[in-house]
Amino acid sequence: MSAFFTSRLFFISLALVIIAATLPLYVSGYVLGLLTVAFYFGVFAMAWDLLFGFAGEVNFGPTFLIGVGAYTAGILNAQFGWSVYPCIVLGALASVIAGLVLALPALRVRGPYFGLTTLVAVLMLQNFIVVFADLTGGEIGLTIPDVISINAGTNYWIALGFMTISAAILYGLSQSPIGLVLQASGQDPVQAGALGFNIVKHKLAAFVVSAFFSGLSGALLVFYFGTASVGTVVDVAVGVNVIVSAVLGGRRTVLGAALGAIFLIVAGEFLRPTGELATFIVSAVALLVVLFFPGGFLGAALSREARS
Amino acid sequence: MRVFQILIDGFAISALYALGATGFTLIFGVSGVLNLSHGAIMVAAAVAAWAAASILNVGTYVGALVGVGVALLTAFATYFAVVKPIQDSRRIPNEEKEIFVLTGTLLWGIMIQELIAYFFTNNAKTVLPIVEGVVEILGVRTPKNEIFTAITCCLVIALLWLLVNRTRTGKAVLAASMNPRGVTLLGLELTNIYIVVWAIYGILAGIAGVLLGMFLGVSSYSVGPLTASAFSIVVLGGLGSVSGSLIAAFVVGYLETLTAYLVSPAYRTIPALLLLVFVMYIRPQGLLGRR
């Protein structure tokens, strides 16, 4: 852990955060808005990487955790008139509870079965949102009356600060003994278990931490967008974005996942002039990375550093 | 009246689900590949059949053939451009190949979906049915197309069963699913077997896609839900077990039809999803799965 503070990665990250923090002084509100969304997605991707990259579980349900956090916060604000901050806290809490409920059956199974259980959770959430349209706004979405701030710079700084703190905690966790046990159980669950580690407990902890950050980020995103809808927080396509971000940035690196998410959202915006082909191009680039640089951006960079 | 209607409609939709899931489970059973571009290949087949019949005016039969042909080509492209490079890659550790195949085929499916949306828009397309008109069975007015769909699905699945159990090629495929290394010791090239399996898969997915296009219609939005439903059926039945996925397809098909008729179409998929979670909880390997 202490080695990290003297590593090149730490100084690069620090420099990037400082540069990013000065952006509102000279770039347009449009760019800030784009990056704000990208930062929240960065947290989604990092939280997902903790579970996938380290514990080796394909979680198709990131949007279940994100969606529960986002909708809980949104419904409390829009339907019950609660103020913003309690809504955010309760959103994150609801996501932790949902994570526990999902983890109990899901952790009994492995591999594709785990993937499916988590995917089913997303499909169920979507169905419930549509069925209980009075509460959730259904397919149209829920309009959120309150926002954290209307100032683009403030929103940007909140998102950046939130992402930086989340990154520090998640990265720290991944390098801690807990992270090492997770990694060991991802690679060889039988041996890790034989060493006396309670794998299920560790995975459950990873799930809960992952749920907390996903839910918190989802709740914050809702108060940035001013709306909660299936398309923005629960759709399978959102989950695909999260997964692609983590693989693109480099799995098992946590920080890479955030880079991947920012790249994906910014690239999507740059490709907007190509119209409907934007998603095609982004997916094609991601596929090429998966095929030729399976370590992802940060994975490739780190292995080069390790070699030199 | 209503009982017969549920029985007939449920049978047709279940047979279609069964056909759609069979190819998916076959590939998993033989090579351990979960192909997440499955829905995209089915939609590509349906859209190709629609385009050939409605834009090029080649007629419904040729249109259907074009659809199956496109699915076959797409299946080969999936294998050679995505799955095989990942399986052969030396940079990806063996224990992570499964996850990379999932991610790779997922991205590939999105690429196909976006190309379809780009060239043919997101609008729903209904493939012109091969047989038209309505017949009355047991007092229920049923479109002939629905009966045609059900019969074709059953025939294709029966043919597949014969192919796998009664031919030399089929036996090689079956052997590869049980012991891949043993098959290579017998002098059979594993890659050739995989090519045969992907060819069979392409044809199955193509027929299922075209029939789906005739029966319910498809759009590029159908890609995700189709993959998800094939995935659920296959896991419910037990990964790699063809008979398990047939049973699961009928359970899910009838459960959905019952819910749609007796409760509300809005709740259609919920009981099936709940059942899936329940089965996963008490029997994680699925109904007929091996562990």
Side-chain angles (χ1 to χ4, degrees), chain A residues 19 31 90 124 132 200 214 257:
Chain A
I19 295 168
V31 177
L90 279 171
M124 298 258 263
F132 296 105
V200 173
S214 306

Side-chain angles (χ1 to χ4, degrees), chain A residues 124, chain B residues 255-256 259-260 263 267-277:
Chain A
M124 298 258 263
Chain B
L255 205 53
E256 286 192 7
T259 316
V263 190
Y267 295 86
R268 187 181 182 104
T269 55
I270 293 177
L273 292 175
L274 284 173
L275 174 80
L276 189 60
V277 173

Side-chain angles (χ1 to χ4, degrees), chain A residues 52-53 56-58 60 104-105 108-117 119-120 123-124 127-128 131 186-187 240 243-244 247 251-252 274 276-277 279-280 282-284 286-287 290-295, chain B residues 28 34 36 81-82 85-86 89 91-93 95-96 98-100 102-104 106-108 110-111 114-115 117-118 228 231-232 235 238-239 266-267 269-270 273-274 276-277 280-282 284-286 290:
Chain A
F52 160 78
E57 296 288 9
V58 215
F60 284 129
L104 291 176
R108 284 163 47 91
V109 292
R110 274 192 65 79
Y113 294 98
F114 178 86
L116 186 83
T117 314
L119 180 66
V120 167
L123 299 176
M124 298 258 263
N127 271 311
F128 281 118
V131 169
Q187 285 173 357
V240 170
I243 296 169
V244 171
V247 175
R251 70 209 187 288
R252 276 197 209 140
T274 60
E276 289 170 7
L277 279 181
T279 314
F280 173 80
V282 170
S283 314
L287 182 61
V290 166
L291 290 178
F292 298 107
F293 307 98
Chain B
F28 180 81
L34 278 174
L36 292 189
V82 184
I86 291 176
S89 169
R91 290 189 205 144
I92 306 172
E95 68 269 13
E96 289 184 8
E98 194 179 322
I99 285 167
F100 272 88
L102 286 176
T103 320
L106 185 69
L107 289 167
W108 175 248
I110 297 171
M111 286 164 64
E114 292 299 321
L115 280 185
Y118 183 74
F231 195 9
S232 333
V235 171
L239 274 173
Y267 295 86
T269 55
I270 293 177
L273 292 175
L274 284 173
L276 189 60
V277 173
M280 300 293 296
Y281 199 75
I282 53 166
Q285 72 273 37
R290 309 169 282 201

Side-chain angles (χ1 to χ4, degrees), chain B:
Chain B
M1 279 291 277
R2 205 174 211 193
V3 177
F4 294 129
Q5 188 156 26
I6 291 172
L7 279 176
I8 294 169
D9 285 352
F11 187 84
I13 197 84
S14 301
L16 196 51
Y17 279 172
L19 183 61
T22 304
F24 188 87
T25 199
L26 188 71
I27 293 208
F28 180 81
V30 175
S31 56
V33 169
L34 278 174
N35 170 26
L36 292 189
S37 57
H38 181 66
I41 295 176
M42 283 174 72
V43 172
V47 170
W50 169 83
S54 303
I55 301 177
L56 304 176
N57 278 319
V58 294
T60 48
Y61 288 98
V62 180
L65 276 181
V66 170
V68 177
V70 165
L72 185 62
L73 290 179
T74 318
F76 277 141
T78 310
Y79 178 62
F80 285 111
V82 184
V83 176
K84 198 167 188 298
I86 291 176
Q87 285 176 335
D88 293 349
S89 169
R90 263 184 251 153
R91 290 189 205 144
I92 306 172
N94 269 328
E95 68 269 13
E96 289 184 8
K97 287 204 166 142
E98 194 179 322
I99 285 167
F100 272 88
V101 168
L102 286 176
T103 320
T105 51
L106 185 69
L107 289 167
W108 175 248
I110 297 171
M111 286 164 64
I112 299 172
Q113 176 185 354
E114 292 299 321
L115 280 185
I116 292 171
Y118 183 74
F119 287 109
F120 300 100
T121 75
N122 281 325
N123 300 336
K125 285 146 199 80
T126 309
V127 182
L128 287 174
I130 288 180
V131 286
E132 283 182 272
V134 176
V135 285
E136 195 156 309
I137 309 171
L138 301 165
V140 182
R141 285 171 58 82
T142 311
K144 281 185 188 164
N145 177 43
E146 192 175 322
I147 298 161
F148 174 76
T149 301
I151 294 175
T152 314
C153 289
C154 294
L155 274 180
V156 173
I157 293 169
L159 274 177
L160 177 74
W161 188 86
L162 283 178
L163 181 78
V164 171
N165 289 295
R166 292 280 183 273
T167 64
R168 211 183 126 71
T169 318
K171 283 177 181 162
V173 167
L174 211 56
S177 77
M178 292 168 186
N179 188 345
R181 198 171 288 173
V183 167
T184 54
L185 288 177
L186 292 173
L188 290 166
E189 189 66 56
L190 212 49
T191 306
N192 289 342
I193 294 179
Y194 289 161
I195 292 172
V196 170
V197 173
W198 278 87
I200 298 172
Y201 165 74
I203 294 169
L204 290 173
I207 297 174
V210 172
L211 288 174
L212 186 78
M214 289 177 185
F215 188 27
L216 299 172
V218 294
S219 76
S220 57
Y221 293 127
S222 323
V223 167
L226 280 176
T227 307
S229 74
F231 195 9
S232 333
I233 286 167
V234 165
V235 171
L236 181 61
L239 274 173
S241 159
V242 175
S243 39
S245 47
L246 292 186
I247 296 171
F250 276 84
V251 170
V252 170
Y254 270 110
L255 205 53
E256 286 192 7
T257 313
L258 271 173
T259 316
Y261 275 113
L262 301 182
V263 190
S264 152
Y267 295 86
R268 187 181 182 104
T269 55
I270 293 177
L273 292 175
L274 284 173
L275 174 80
L276 189 60
V277 173
F278 180 69
V279 172
M280 300 293 296
Y281 199 75
I282 53 166
R283 208 180 144 75
Q285 72 273 37
L287 297 173
L288 296 185
R290 309 169 282 201
R291 285 222 92 170

